[in-house]
Structure formats: structure tokens, C-alpha cells
PDB file of all heavy atoms in Angstrom:
ATOM      1  N   GLY A  31     102.815  81.239  48.610  1.00  0.00           N
ATOM      2  CA  GLY A  31     103.448  80.486  47.565  1.00  0.00           C
ATOM      3  C   GLY A  31     104.953  80.658  47.479  1.00  0.00           C
ATOM      4  O   GLY A  31     105.642  79.833  46.848  1.00  0.00           O
ATOM      5  N   GLU A  32     105.506  81.693  48.139  1.00  0.00           N
ATOM      6  CA  GLU A  32     106.952  81.920  48.159  1.00  0.00           C
ATOM      7  C   GLU A  32     107.639  81.019  49.175  1.00  0.00           C
ATOM      8  O   GLU A  32     108.881  80.912  49.188  1.00  0.00           O
ATOM      9  CB  GLU A  32     107.270  83.364  48.484  1.00  0.00           C
ATOM     10  CG  GLU A  32     106.643  84.400  47.514  1.00  0.00           C
ATOM     11  CD  GLU A  32     107.328  84.412  46.147  1.00  0.00           C
ATOM     12  OE1 GLU A  32     108.433  83.848  46.063  1.00  0.00           O
ATOM     13  OE2 GLU A  32     106.729  84.947  45.209  1.00  0.00           O
ATOM     14  N   THR A  33     106.872  80.420  50.088  1.00  0.00           N
ATOM     15  CA  THR A  33     107.450  79.575  51.147  1.00  0.00           C
ATOM     16  C   THR A  33     107.079  78.113  50.906  1.00  0.00           C
ATOM     17  O   THR A  33     105.894  77.776  50.841  1.00  0.00           O
ATOM     18  CB  THR A  33     106.928  80.048  52.543  1.00  0.00           C
ATOM     19  OG1 THR A  33     107.284  81.406  52.717  1.00  0.00           O
ATOM     20  CG2 THR A  33     107.459  79.190  53.646  1.00  0.00           C
ATOM     21  N   PHE A  34     108.088  77.297  50.680  1.00  0.00           N
ATOM     22  CA  PHE A  34     107.867  75.904  50.323  1.00  0.00           C
ATOM     23  C   PHE A  34     107.000  75.751  49.090  1.00  0.00           C
ATOM     24  O   PHE A  34     106.293  74.771  48.895  1.00  0.00           O
ATOM     25  CB  PHE A  34     107.270  75.068  51.468  1.00  0.00           C
ATOM     26  CG  PHE A  34     108.116  75.075  52.698  1.00  0.00           C
ATOM     27  CD1 PHE A  34     107.545  75.393  53.948  1.00  0.00           C
ATOM     28  CD2 PHE A  34     109.445  74.732  52.681  1.00  0.00           C
ATOM     29  CE1 PHE A  34     108.334  75.361  55.106  1.00  0.00           C
ATOM     30  CE2 PHE A  34     110.237  74.718  53.812  1.00  0.00           C
ATOM     31  CZ  PHE A  34     109.669  75.039  55.037  1.00  0.00           C
ATOM     32  N   ALA A  35     107.075  76.810  48.169  1.00  0.00           N
ATOM     33  CA  ALA A  35     106.291  76.842  46.966  1.00  0.00           C
ATOM     34  C   ALA A  35     104.802  76.701  47.217  1.00  0.00           C
ATOM     35  O   ALA A  35     104.028  76.336  46.333  1.00  0.00           O
ATOM     36  CB  ALA A  35     106.764  75.758  46.006  1.00  0.00           C
ATOM     37  N   GLY A  36     104.337  77.002  48.449  1.00  0.00           N
ATOM     38  CA  GLY A  36     102.933  76.941  48.771  1.00  0.00           C
ATOM     39  C   GLY A  36     102.473  75.576  49.256  1.00  0.00           C
ATOM     40  O   GLY A  36     101.285  75.398  49.550  1.00  0.00           O
ATOM     41  N   VAL A  37     103.386  74.625  49.314  1.00  0.00           N
ATOM     42  CA  VAL A  37     103.042  73.250  49.700  1.00  0.00           C
ATOM     43  C   VAL A  37     103.067  73.115  51.219  1.00  0.00           C
ATOM     44  O   VAL A  37     104.063  73.512  51.834  1.00  0.00           O
ATOM     45  CB  VAL A  37     104.027  72.239  49.078  1.00  0.00           C
ATOM     46  CG1 VAL A  37     103.654  70.826  49.460  1.00  0.00           C
ATOM     47  CG2 VAL A  37     104.042  72.413  47.543  1.00  0.00           C
ATOM     48  N   PRO A  38     102.031  72.590  51.855  1.00  0.00           N
ATOM     49  CA  PRO A  38     102.105  72.323  53.298  1.00  0.00           C
ATOM     50  C   PRO A  38     103.337  71.467  53.615  1.00  0.00           C
ATOM     51  O   PRO A  38     103.593  70.469  52.876  1.00  0.00           O
ATOM     52  CB  PRO A  38     100.796  71.586  53.598  1.00  0.00           C
ATOM     53  CG  PRO A  38      99.882  72.022  52.503  1.00  0.00           C
ATOM     54  CD  PRO A  38     100.717  72.188  51.302  1.00  0.00           C
ATOM     55  N   LEU A  39     104.065  71.820  54.630  1.00  0.00           N
ATOM     56  CA  LEU A  39     105.369  71.158  54.901  1.00  0.00           C
ATOM     57  C   LEU A  39     105.237  69.648  54.993  1.00  0.00           C
ATOM     58  O   LEU A  39     106.010  68.898  54.393  1.00  0.00           O
ATOM     59  CB  LEU A  39     105.985  71.714  56.140  1.00  0.00           C
ATOM     60  CG  LEU A  39     107.358  71.151  56.539  1.00  0.00           C
ATOM     61  CD1 LEU A  39     108.374  71.341  55.398  1.00  0.00           C
ATOM     62  CD2 LEU A  39     107.854  71.829  57.835  1.00  0.00           C
ATOM     63  N   GLU A  40     104.295  69.155  55.772  1.00  0.00           N
ATOM     64  CA  GLU A  40     104.156  67.703  55.939  1.00  0.00           C
ATOM     65  C   GLU A  40     103.908  66.980  54.616  1.00  0.00           C
ATOM     66  O   GLU A  40     104.464  65.922  54.330  1.00  0.00           O
ATOM     67  CB  GLU A  40     103.058  67.387  56.937  1.00  0.00           C
ATOM     68  CG  GLU A  40     103.306  67.878  58.351  1.00  0.00           C
ATOM     69  CD  GLU A  40     103.086  69.345  58.568  1.00  0.00           C
ATOM     70  OE1 GLU A  40     102.561  70.002  57.614  1.00  0.00           O
ATOM     71  OE2 GLU A  40     103.451  69.883  59.617  1.00  0.00           O
ATOM     72  N   GLU A  41     103.013  67.564  53.780  1.00  0.00           N
ATOM     73  CA  GLU A  41     102.740  66.972  52.476  1.00  0.00           C
ATOM     74  C   GLU A  41     103.969  67.021  51.582  1.00  0.00           C
ATOM     75  O   GLU A  41     104.272  66.105  50.827  1.00  0.00           O
ATOM     76  CB  GLU A  41     101.566  67.687  51.805  1.00  0.00           C
ATOM     77  CG  GLU A  41     100.226  67.348  52.408  1.00  0.00           C
ATOM     78  CD  GLU A  41      99.879  65.885  52.235  1.00  0.00           C
ATOM     79  OE1 GLU A  41     100.169  65.296  51.194  1.00  0.00           O
ATOM     80  OE2 GLU A  41      99.336  65.310  53.214  1.00  0.00           O
ATOM     81  N   GLY A  42     104.718  68.115  51.704  1.00  0.00           N
ATOM     82  CA  GLY A  42     105.907  68.257  50.882  1.00  0.00           C
ATOM     83  C   GLY A  42     106.941  67.244  51.242  1.00  0.00           C
ATOM     84  O   GLY A  42     107.611  66.672  50.361  1.00  0.00           O
ATOM     85  N   VAL A  43     107.138  66.987  52.544  1.00  0.00           N
ATOM     86  CA  VAL A  43     108.123  65.992  52.973  1.00  0.00           C
ATOM     87  C   VAL A  43     107.746  64.596  52.455  1.00  0.00           C
ATOM     88  O   VAL A  43     108.597  63.851  51.985  1.00  0.00           O
ATOM     89  CB  VAL A  43     108.223  66.011  54.486  1.00  0.00           C
ATOM     90  CG1 VAL A  43     109.033  64.838  55.003  1.00  0.00           C
ATOM     91  CG2 VAL A  43     108.845  67.331  54.964  1.00  0.00           C
ATOM     92  N   ALA A  44     106.476  64.262  52.507  1.00  0.00           N
ATOM     93  CA  ALA A  44     105.991  62.955  52.013  1.00  0.00           C
ATOM     94  C   ALA A  44     106.247  62.860  50.521  1.00  0.00           C
ATOM     95  O   ALA A  44     106.664  61.828  50.012  1.00  0.00           O
ATOM     96  CB  ALA A  44     104.530  62.756  52.350  1.00  0.00           C
ATOM     97  N   ALA A  45     105.986  63.963  49.774  1.00  0.00           N
ATOM     98  CA  ALA A  45     106.175  63.947  48.348  1.00  0.00           C
ATOM     99  C   ALA A  45     107.667  63.792  47.982  1.00  0.00           C
ATOM    100  O   ALA A  45     108.015  63.113  47.010  1.00  0.00           O
ATOM    101  CB  ALA A  45     105.587  65.203  47.711  1.00  0.00           C
ATOM    102  N   VAL A  46     108.519  64.448  48.797  1.00  0.00           N
ATOM    103  CA  VAL A  46     109.969  64.310  48.533  1.00  0.00           C
ATOM    104  C   VAL A  46     110.394  62.849  48.686  1.00  0.00           C
ATOM    105  O   VAL A  46     111.205  62.368  47.877  1.00  0.00           O
ATOM    106  CB  VAL A  46     110.751  65.215  49.538  1.00  0.00           C
ATOM    107  CG1 VAL A  46     112.211  64.785  49.604  1.00  0.00           C
ATOM    108  CG2 VAL A  46     110.647  66.655  49.111  1.00  0.00           C
ATOM    109  N   GLU A  47     109.867  62.148  49.622  1.00  0.00           N
ATOM    110  CA  GLU A  47     110.209  60.725  49.783  1.00  0.00           C
ATOM    111  C   GLU A  47     109.855  59.936  48.533  1.00  0.00           C
ATOM    112  O   GLU A  47     110.571  59.053  48.098  1.00  0.00           O
ATOM    113  CB  GLU A  47     109.498  60.162  51.032  1.00  0.00           C
ATOM    114  CG  GLU A  47     110.014  60.730  52.348  1.00  0.00           C
ATOM    115  CD  GLU A  47     109.281  60.162  53.528  1.00  0.00           C
ATOM    116  OE1 GLU A  47     108.354  59.330  53.334  1.00  0.00           O
ATOM    117  OE2 GLU A  47     109.595  60.550  54.681  1.00  0.00           O
ATOM    118  N   ASP A  48     108.696  60.243  47.987  1.00  0.00           N
ATOM    119  CA  ASP A  48     108.298  59.571  46.735  1.00  0.00           C
ATOM    120  C   ASP A  48     109.187  59.942  45.569  1.00  0.00           C
ATOM    121  O   ASP A  48     109.581  59.101  44.753  1.00  0.00           O
ATOM    122  CB  ASP A  48     106.833  59.931  46.396  1.00  0.00           C
ATOM    123  CG  ASP A  48     105.819  59.308  47.351  1.00  0.00           C
ATOM    124  OD1 ASP A  48     106.221  58.425  48.130  1.00  0.00           O
ATOM    125  OD2 ASP A  48     104.659  59.718  47.320  1.00  0.00           O
ATOM    126  N   LEU A  49     109.523  61.221  45.498  1.00  0.00           N
ATOM    127  CA  LEU A  49     110.341  61.680  44.382  1.00  0.00           C
ATOM    128  C   LEU A  49     111.768  61.147  44.419  1.00  0.00           C
ATOM    129  O   LEU A  49     112.366  60.853  43.388  1.00  0.00           O
ATOM    130  CB  LEU A  49     110.353  63.247  44.392  1.00  0.00           C
ATOM    131  CG  LEU A  49     110.822  63.950  43.116  1.00  0.00           C
ATOM    132  CD1 LEU A  49     109.945  63.596  41.933  1.00  0.00           C
ATOM    133  CD2 LEU A  49     110.845  65.467  43.348  1.00  0.00           C
ATOM    134  N   GLN A  50     112.262  60.982  45.610  1.00  0.00           N
ATOM    135  CA  GLN A  50     113.650  60.451  45.771  1.00  0.00           C
ATOM    136  C   GLN A  50     113.817  59.147  45.021  1.00  0.00           C
ATOM    137  O   GLN A  50     114.923  58.820  44.567  1.00  0.00           O
ATOM    138  CB  GLN A  50     113.969  60.277  47.268  1.00  0.00           C
ATOM    139  CG  GLN A  50     114.200  61.556  48.053  1.00  0.00           C
ATOM    140  CD  GLN A  50     115.628  62.029  47.994  1.00  0.00           C
ATOM    141  OE1 GLN A  50     116.394  61.661  47.085  1.00  0.00           O
ATOM    142  NE2 GLN A  50     116.055  62.825  48.986  1.00  0.00           N
ATOM    143  N   ARG A  51     112.768  58.383  44.943  1.00  0.00           N
ATOM    144  CA  ARG A  51     112.856  57.023  44.362  1.00  0.00           C
ATOM    145  C   ARG A  51     113.149  57.062  42.851  1.00  0.00           C
ATOM    146  O   ARG A  51     113.564  56.063  42.293  1.00  0.00           O
ATOM    147  CB  ARG A  51     111.589  56.248  44.637  1.00  0.00           C
ATOM    148  CG  ARG A  51     111.244  56.095  46.094  1.00  0.00           C
ATOM    149  CD  ARG A  51     110.069  55.120  46.319  1.00  0.00           C
ATOM    150  NE  ARG A  51     109.734  55.023  47.735  1.00  0.00           N
ATOM    151  CZ  ARG A  51     108.727  55.655  48.313  1.00  0.00           C
ATOM    152  NH1 ARG A  51     107.908  56.420  47.600  1.00  0.00           N
ATOM    153  NH2 ARG A  51     108.483  55.510  49.585  1.00  0.00           N
ATOM    154  N   VAL A  52     112.886  58.224  42.214  1.00  0.00           N
ATOM    155  CA  VAL A  52     113.122  58.259  40.776  1.00  0.00           C
ATOM    156  C   VAL A  52     114.360  59.100  40.388  1.00  0.00           C
ATOM    157  O   VAL A  52     114.607  59.344  39.228  1.00  0.00           O
ATOM    158  CB  VAL A  52     111.884  58.823  40.045  1.00  0.00           C
ATOM    159  CG1 VAL A  52     110.676  57.967  40.352  1.00  0.00           C
ATOM    160  CG2 VAL A  52     111.631  60.310  40.373  1.00  0.00           C
ATOM    161  N   VAL A  53     115.119  59.533  41.410  1.00  0.00           N
ATOM    162  CA  VAL A  53     116.336  60.325  41.125  1.00  0.00           C
ATOM    163  C   VAL A  53     117.479  59.411  40.709  1.00  0.00           C
ATOM    164  O   VAL A  53     117.786  58.456  41.413  1.00  0.00           O
ATOM    165  CB  VAL A  53     116.727  61.131  42.382  1.00  0.00           C
ATOM    166  CG1 VAL A  53     118.045  61.873  42.147  1.00  0.00           C
ATOM    167  CG2 VAL A  53     115.618  62.115  42.765  1.00  0.00           C
ATOM    168  N   PRO A  54     118.128  59.662  39.578  1.00  0.00           N
ATOM    169  CA  PRO A  54     119.233  58.842  39.173  1.00  0.00           C
ATOM    170  C   PRO A  54     120.366  58.861  40.196  1.00  0.00           C
ATOM    171  O   PRO A  54     120.541  59.863  40.910  1.00  0.00           O
ATOM    172  CB  PRO A  54     119.695  59.448  37.849  1.00  0.00           C
ATOM    173  CG  PRO A  54     118.544  60.281  37.386  1.00  0.00           C
ATOM    174  CD  PRO A  54     117.808  60.726  38.616  1.00  0.00           C
ATOM    175  N   GLU A  55     121.136  57.792  40.264  1.00  0.00           N
ATOM    176  CA  GLU A  55     122.202  57.691  41.265  1.00  0.00           C
ATOM    177  C   GLU A  55     123.204  58.833  41.171  1.00  0.00           C
ATOM    178  O   GLU A  55     123.790  59.250  42.168  1.00  0.00           O
ATOM    179  CB  GLU A  55     122.928  56.354  41.107  1.00  0.00           C
ATOM    180  CG  GLU A  55     122.113  55.155  41.555  1.00  0.00           C
ATOM    181  CD  GLU A  55     122.898  53.864  41.481  1.00  0.00           C
ATOM    182  OE1 GLU A  55     124.120  53.948  41.154  1.00  0.00           O
ATOM    183  OE2 GLU A  55     122.352  52.799  41.714  1.00  0.00           O
ATOM    184  N   GLU A  56     123.470  59.320  39.959  1.00  0.00           N
ATOM    185  CA  GLU A  56     124.490  60.316  39.765  1.00  0.00           C
ATOM    186  C   GLU A  56     124.066  61.734  40.137  1.00  0.00           C
ATOM    187  O   GLU A  56     124.874  62.662  40.145  1.00  0.00           O
ATOM    188  CB  GLU A  56     124.978  60.324  38.324  1.00  0.00           C
ATOM    189  CG  GLU A  56     123.979  60.757  37.264  1.00  0.00           C
ATOM    190  CD  GLU A  56     123.111  59.608  36.719  1.00  0.00           C
ATOM    191  OE1 GLU A  56     123.029  58.559  37.425  1.00  0.00           O
ATOM    192  OE2 GLU A  56     122.535  59.783  35.627  1.00  0.00           O
ATOM    193  N   LEU A  57     122.757  61.917  40.471  1.00  0.00           N
ATOM    194  CA  LEU A  57     122.246  63.208  40.811  1.00  0.00           C
ATOM    195  C   LEU A  57     121.776  63.322  42.259  1.00  0.00           C
ATOM    196  O   LEU A  57     121.270  62.314  42.791  1.00  0.00           O
ATOM    197  CB  LEU A  57     121.012  63.569  39.919  1.00  0.00           C
ATOM    198  CG  LEU A  57     121.208  63.685  38.427  1.00  0.00           C
ATOM    199  CD1 LEU A  57     119.888  64.003  37.742  1.00  0.00           C
ATOM    200  CD2 LEU A  57     122.237  64.703  38.077  1.00  0.00           C
ATOM    201  N   THR A  58     121.991  64.472  42.851  1.00  0.00           N
ATOM    202  CA  THR A  58     121.312  64.732  44.127  1.00  0.00           C
ATOM    203  C   THR A  58     119.869  65.124  43.836  1.00  0.00           C
ATOM    204  O   THR A  58     119.521  65.419  42.682  1.00  0.00           O
ATOM    205  CB  THR A  58     121.993  65.851  44.906  1.00  0.00           C
ATOM    206  OG1 THR A  58     121.837  67.092  44.134  1.00  0.00           O
ATOM    207  CG2 THR A  58     123.483  65.580  45.112  1.00  0.00           C
ATOM    208  N   LEU A  59     119.047  65.159  44.829  1.00  0.00           N
ATOM    209  CA  LEU A  59     117.651  65.584  44.639  1.00  0.00           C
ATOM    210  C   LEU A  59     117.594  66.989  44.123  1.00  0.00           C
ATOM    211  O   LEU A  59     116.816  67.306  43.186  1.00  0.00           O
ATOM    212  CB  LEU A  59     116.855  65.445  45.921  1.00  0.00           C
ATOM    213  CG  LEU A  59     115.381  65.909  45.867  1.00  0.00           C
ATOM    214  CD1 LEU A  59     114.585  65.088  44.848  1.00  0.00           C
ATOM    215  CD2 LEU A  59     114.756  65.835  47.246  1.00  0.00           C
ATOM    216  N   ALA A  60     118.451  67.876  44.642  1.00  0.00           N
ATOM    217  CA  ALA A  60     118.463  69.261  44.187  1.00  0.00           C
ATOM    218  C   ALA A  60     118.866  69.344  42.719  1.00  0.00           C
ATOM    219  O   ALA A  60     118.237  70.059  41.930  1.00  0.00           O
ATOM    220  CB  ALA A  60     119.427  70.093  45.040  1.00  0.00           C
ATOM    221  N   GLN A  61     119.850  68.576  42.323  1.00  0.00           N
ATOM    222  CA  GLN A  61     120.223  68.563  40.905  1.00  0.00           C
ATOM    223  C   GLN A  61     119.150  68.016  40.034  1.00  0.00           C
ATOM    224  O   GLN A  61     118.961  68.473  38.915  1.00  0.00           O
ATOM    225  CB  GLN A  61     121.545  67.782  40.757  1.00  0.00           C
ATOM    226  CG  GLN A  61     122.767  68.475  41.330  1.00  0.00           C
ATOM    227  CD  GLN A  61     123.975  67.577  41.326  1.00  0.00           C
ATOM    228  OE1 GLN A  61     123.899  66.328  41.434  1.00  0.00           O
ATOM    229  NE2 GLN A  61     125.169  68.166  41.201  1.00  0.00           N
ATOM    230  N   PHE A  62     118.451  67.007  40.529  1.00  0.00           N
ATOM    231  CA  PHE A  62     117.329  66.457  39.773  1.00  0.00           C
ATOM    232  C   PHE A  62     116.269  67.549  39.513  1.00  0.00           C
ATOM    233  O   PHE A  62     115.772  67.694  38.414  1.00  0.00           O
ATOM    234  CB  PHE A  62     116.727  65.297  40.545  1.00  0.00           C
ATOM    235  CG  PHE A  62     115.494  64.682  39.889  1.00  0.00           C
ATOM    236  CD1 PHE A  62     115.595  63.677  38.956  1.00  0.00           C
ATOM    237  CD2 PHE A  62     114.216  65.126  40.263  1.00  0.00           C
ATOM    238  CE1 PHE A  62     114.499  63.122  38.374  1.00  0.00           C
ATOM    239  CE2 PHE A  62     113.086  64.573  39.649  1.00  0.00           C
ATOM    240  CZ  PHE A  62     113.213  63.579  38.729  1.00  0.00           C
ATOM    241  N   ALA A  63     115.933  68.294  40.566  1.00  0.00           N
ATOM    242  CA  ALA A  63     114.930  69.348  40.445  1.00  0.00           C
ATOM    243  C   ALA A  63     115.377  70.414  39.444  1.00  0.00           C
ATOM    244  O   ALA A  63     114.579  70.854  38.592  1.00  0.00           O
ATOM    245  CB  ALA A  63     114.614  69.962  41.794  1.00  0.00           C
ATOM    246  N   LEU A  64     116.625  70.806  39.512  1.00  0.00           N
ATOM    247  CA  LEU A  64     117.140  71.823  38.620  1.00  0.00           C
ATOM    248  C   LEU A  64     117.213  71.353  37.170  1.00  0.00           C
ATOM    249  O   LEU A  64     116.882  72.037  36.219  1.00  0.00           O
ATOM    250  CB  LEU A  64     118.510  72.332  39.077  1.00  0.00           C
ATOM    251  CG  LEU A  64     118.534  73.062  40.418  1.00  0.00           C
ATOM    252  CD1 LEU A  64     119.952  73.284  40.903  1.00  0.00           C
ATOM    253  CD2 LEU A  64     117.773  74.389  40.328  1.00  0.00           C
ATOM    254  N   ARG A  65     117.647  70.077  37.008  1.00  0.00           N
ATOM    255  CA  ARG A  65     117.730  69.521  35.698  1.00  0.00           C
ATOM    256  C   ARG A  65     116.317  69.355  35.097  1.00  0.00           C
ATOM    257  O   ARG A  65     116.113  69.629  33.896  1.00  0.00           O
ATOM    258  CB  ARG A  65     118.409  68.126  35.732  1.00  0.00           C
ATOM    259  CG  ARG A  65     118.682  67.438  34.413  1.00  0.00           C
ATOM    260  CD  ARG A  65     119.634  68.215  33.545  1.00  0.00           C
ATOM    261  NE  ARG A  65     118.903  68.941  32.495  1.00  0.00           N
ATOM    262  CZ  ARG A  65     119.526  69.768  31.667  1.00  0.00           C
ATOM    263  NH1 ARG A  65     120.816  70.006  31.786  1.00  0.00           N
ATOM    264  NH2 ARG A  65     118.853  70.365  30.731  1.00  0.00           N
ATOM    265  N   TRP A  66     115.360  68.970  35.943  1.00  0.00           N
ATOM    266  CA  TRP A  66     113.967  68.887  35.515  1.00  0.00           C
ATOM    267  C   TRP A  66     113.487  70.214  34.968  1.00  0.00           C
ATOM    268  O   TRP A  66     112.845  70.287  33.878  1.00  0.00           O
ATOM    269  CB  TRP A  66     113.102  68.451  36.708  1.00  0.00           C
ATOM    270  CG  TRP A  66     111.648  68.257  36.418  1.00  0.00           C
ATOM    271  CD1 TRP A  66     111.011  67.123  36.039  1.00  0.00           C
ATOM    272  CD2 TRP A  66     110.625  69.261  36.507  1.00  0.00           C
ATOM    273  NE1 TRP A  66     109.678  67.333  35.896  1.00  0.00           N
ATOM    274  CE2 TRP A  66     109.396  68.641  36.148  1.00  0.00           C
ATOM    275  CE3 TRP A  66     110.611  70.629  36.819  1.00  0.00           C
ATOM    276  CZ2 TRP A  66     108.195  69.342  36.116  1.00  0.00           C
ATOM    277  CZ3 TRP A  66     109.434  71.328  36.787  1.00  0.00           C
ATOM    278  CH2 TRP A  66     108.225  70.710  36.421  1.00  0.00           C
ATOM    279  N   ILE A  67     113.813  71.303  35.637  1.00  0.00           N
ATOM    280  CA  ILE A  67     113.431  72.660  35.166  1.00  0.00           C
ATOM    281  C   ILE A  67     114.136  72.995  33.864  1.00  0.00           C
ATOM    282  O   ILE A  67     113.476  73.485  32.926  1.00  0.00           O
ATOM    283  CB  ILE A  67     113.794  73.700  36.266  1.00  0.00           C
ATOM    284  CG1 ILE A  67     112.932  73.468  37.511  1.00  0.00           C
ATOM    285  CG2 ILE A  67     113.649  75.102  35.710  1.00  0.00           C
ATOM    286  CD1 ILE A  67     113.448  74.222  38.756  1.00  0.00           C
ATOM    287  N   LEU A  68     115.402  72.717  33.776  1.00  0.00           N
ATOM    288  CA  LEU A  68     116.176  73.079  32.568  1.00  0.00           C
ATOM    289  C   LEU A  68     115.776  72.273  31.343  1.00  0.00           C
ATOM    290  O   LEU A  68     116.083  72.657  30.227  1.00  0.00           O
ATOM    291  CB  LEU A  68     117.687  72.919  32.854  1.00  0.00           C
ATOM    292  CG  LEU A  68     118.259  73.901  33.827  1.00  0.00           C
ATOM    293  CD1 LEU A  68     119.710  73.529  34.160  1.00  0.00           C
ATOM    294  CD2 LEU A  68     118.166  75.335  33.320  1.00  0.00           C
TER     295      LEU A  68
END
């Protein structure tokens, strides 16, 4: 679970592609993830 949060890499990459579609223009994906947490 400490590596890729336990997500199989291929599945994670596919999920990232889906998630990218909802990231606001002013944020990077990393900033979106951090803002989501905060």
C-alpha cells in the first residue's frame, strides 16, 4: 500500500486519465489531489 497507494500501475494510469478530465484549468493534477485532501 506504500507503493502507488496499493493500486496496480496499469489501473492507476487508466484512472489518472479519467481524473484528468475533471481537473480545473488553473490546477495541475498534483495540486488537484492535494486540494482534494485539504
Side-chain angles (χ1 to χ4, degrees):
E32 302 287 344
T33 300
F34 301 130
V37 180
L39 181 56
E40 294 77 8
E41 286 298 320
V43 169
V46 163
E47 292 179 0
D48 290 347
L49 196 60
Q50 287 273 22
R51 300 187 183 103
V52 303
V53 176
E55 290 184 3
E56 67 271 20
L57 298 180
T58 66
L59 177 61
Q61 290 172 330
F62 176 88
L64 295 171
R65 185 64 257 173
W66 182 91
I67 293 165
L68 292 173

